[in-house]
Amino acid sequence: MLTERQLYILKAIVDDYITNAEPVGSRTISKREDISFSPATIRNEMSDLEELGFLEKPHSSAGRIPSQKGYRYYVDHLLSPSILTKKDVSEIRSQLAVQFHESEQVIQQSAKMLSQLTSYTSIVLGPEVFESKLQQLQMIPISGEQAVVIIVTDSGHVESQTVQFPESVASADVEKVVNILNEKLRGVPIYQLQQKLSQEIAAVLKKYVSKYEVMIHTLKDIFSDQQQEKVYYGGKTNILSQPEFNDVERVRNILNLFEEDAVISKHLRSEDQGLTIRIGEENEFKPFDDLTIVTATYTLEGKYIGTLGILGPTRMEYPRVISLMEYFSKDMSKLLNKKQRD
Amino acid sequence: MLTERQLYILKAIVDDYITNAEPVGSRTISKREDISFSPATIRNEMSDLEELGFLEKPHSSAGRIPSQKGYRYYVDHLLSPSILTKKDVSEIRSQLAVQFHESEQVIQQSAKMLSQLTSYTSIVLGPEVFESKLQQLQMIPISGEQAVVIIVTDSGHVESQTVQFPESVASADVEKVVNILNEKLRGVPIYQLQQKLSQEIAAVLKKYVSKYEVMIHTLKDIFSDQQQEKVYYGGKTNILSQPEFNDVERVRNILNLFEEDAVISKHLRSEDQGLTIRIGEENEFKPFDDLTIVTATYTLEGKYIGTLGILGPTRMEYPRVISLMEYFSKDMSKLLNKKQRD
DNA sequence: GTTAGCACTCTTCCCTTACGAGTGCTAAAT
DNA sequence: ATTTAGCACTCGTAAGGGAAGAGTGCTAAC
């Protein structure tokens, strides 16, 4: 329903505003080499675009800026995919070429690079342990009723948790349980532990161990904790260099949010696989309603593992961010898969 | 060498500037009930105090503000120790009354409260494990030459690290070493591990294990890593609410610093036991040269464990901060000692 | 359908002015 | 010898008033 020319002008305005952060006037557009219309014509078109809701004016005698709807249209239909420069690619390559001990480092490093390359803030969600498999489970008594449960994965990651056992549980039984678990569960992916526990293990334990319900319950809790996603940040303060964040109070609110991992995690995750872009009020979370969040998922053998996220102003360099996100989500999946095979 | 009256006026000016963050004029001082001199007299005294370097003027027709030297004198000779209100004390009590599993939580919680109570930023240094004792050491092979070393303390804290062994080390030897270590080192405080290893254990291993040097070396590295101090923050963004931080660029620099734990740790630690106050350029670290840092140490059985720190503007509520720091450094020592006995 | 022209609107910048807070000095009072 | 009143002076800030510049929207001509 928009004419070719309107599309063209809309795109030009968004592009210009993204780079300059200032309202765009008709003259600026008409000066572009690839445009052959007079400012007046462009003004008319702009006026129409405003009526349609794609543009807005900060005040009556300023140029136009894209509205949220304008950005949305731009993202959906107009943006020319940017090709990553050789410099970008080689930089990414070299920084991810390092040998990482743990997948956690891959994630951390990716978050850092994403923020460096975009100069926005990056937030990456990833499980602390995911497809890695149980290598060994240990229960070490500390004192009286307390014990530390330790989970070691085949990737060398260690998770621990202190638990309380009621006195009624015999320590011989605990030992028995640990042995059974190690025997039955070694090599099982962490994310399946909980499920296997209820399905197969419960029956076995029932046979050999009294008071097995208490232990099953405790173990279930431990295993479910392992599935929570951790939040990694890159360039927390990058966002402060954007002109729209020149207000200390506003900055404070956002930075405080970054301390609440649970909240961030909840509002960053997207239901869809693949790339998601939420512009301004498309974010249901109030504090983000004048920001854009771009997320992408990364996978291992085709299954969801975690989420990459970029947080920036609605006036975001969409083309660049999108290509970077696509590149990274693929690359991380690749890296993790490679690690997996090692 | 300063007269009584000069002292009085200096104190009044600092007190006033600390609360109002605005240059203090002679009239303001003379209006105080406890002062019976005319503004003119006070002006003369102020002029003298300025000549002596205790005060300065932002510009010729403004009131005076304390110079760095002024604050220093105030802190050393003038400040009236503030008594914590009952409300403060009861709040601290109630929040630290919770049962903590690990000393790490005590530290974290203290950092949080210090920042809440002062509305500055608090930074606490503490070892991840310190006086707690080795409960069990484990070495779990992962693949080929890699193994995970796990250290469990009697407080239930778990530390782990992935290590590489040269192929030449036989796995039977590894097992032997672990057994010996557990036998000899159980109950030894973490901070003594390194020392004991060289002194007692080396000799024993020499007898039973071939290639023991490699293992000793690896173990030493692991144990020494355990002694590094961790950095805990409270209220990272509190400092933004101070009027002197109304500049986003400045804020950005400081917040970026907070990401560099090693740097912060290095410049926060003070050589002295007890309370230390570094005002403005007394901090050798440039980025802090217009801030004040107050540190205090906390101890366990008289030995240094870690450092509490408060970071704020030079115009800091010294009396309050000092009493809080004293209270906390005592209280934390107490809490940790109590935990120790449990 | 396009564009030149022009009046109109707003913002921004700069200048001036007025005001207020505060100082520093002098001369008088204590 | 101190203290203080008085007053001129300095400087920052707030308010007001153009003037300039950017940009629009409309009209009328191309």
Side-chain angles (χ1 to χ4, degrees), chain B residues 45-97:
Chain B
E45 298 285 29
M46 281 166 121
S47 189
D48 291 350
L49 284 168
E50 186 179 358
E51 230 162 75
L52 292 167
F54 294 108
L55 297 179
E56 46 196 40
K57 278 186 293 194
H59 57 86
S60 74
S61 77
R64 301 300 206 294
I65 62 175
S67 67
Q68 185 183 309
K69 188 176 166 190
Y71 286 121
R72 171 48 64 194
Y73 195 89
Y74 175 84
V75 165
D76 288 342
H77 304 111
L78 298 176
L79 55 73
S80 32
S82 96
I83 298 131
L84 297 183
T85 65
K86 279 191 185 152
K87 202 171 136 251
D88 286 339
V89 174
S90 75
E91 202 183 324
I92 298 173
R93 279 276 139 79
S94 78
Q95 291 212 39
L96 288 183

Side-chain angles (χ1 to χ4, degrees), chain A residues 190-208:
Chain A
I190 302 299
Y191 75 93
Q192 286 180 6
L193 284 179
Q194 212 181 346
Q195 182 190 348
K196 285 241 172 181
L197 186 72
S198 329
Q199 288 175 4
E200 301 172 26
I201 312 296
V204 182
L205 289 189
K206 196 169 184 177
K207 254 192 265 177
Y208 299 103

Side-chain angles (χ1 to χ4, degrees), chain A residues 94-111:
Chain A
S94 78
Q95 292 212 39
L96 288 184
V98 198
Q99 187 57 36
F100 293 111
H101 268 101
E102 283 204 51
S103 18
E104 181 166 351
Q105 288 174 293
V106 178
I107 299 176
Q108 186 71 66
Q109 182 68 10
S110 300

Side-chain angles (χ1 to χ4, degrees), chain B residues 181-195:
Chain B
L181 289 174
N182 270 317
E183 195 181 310
K184 297 277 177 192
L185 294 179
R186 170 159 306 153
V188 172
I190 303 299
Y191 74 93
Q192 287 181 3
L193 284 179
Q194 214 180 345
Q195 184 190 347

Side-chain angles (χ1 to χ4, degrees), chain A residues 135-136 138 140-142 146 148 150 152-154 156 158 160 162 236-238 240 245-246 248 252 255-256, chain B residues 101 135-136 138 140-142 148 150 152-154 156 158 160 162 237-238 240 245-246 248 252 255-256 259:
Chain A
Q135 178 78 1
Q136 198 159 337
Q138 303 231 327
I140 296 173
I142 295 299
Q146 281 189 67
V148 181
I150 298 177
V152 184
T153 71
D154 62 346
V158 176
S160 73
T162 311
K236 274 188 187 180
T237 65
N238 273 7
L240 309 205
F245 287 85
N246 240 329
V248 177
R252 205 167 123 80
L255 289 174
N256 277 336
Chain B
H101 268 101
Q135 177 78 1
Q136 196 159 338
Q138 303 233 326
I140 296 172
I142 295 300
V148 181
I150 298 177
V152 184
T153 71
D154 62 346
V158 176
S160 72
T162 311
T237 64
N238 273 7
L240 309 206
F245 287 85
N246 238 330
V248 177
R252 203 168 125 78
L255 290 174
N256 276 336
E259 307 288 310

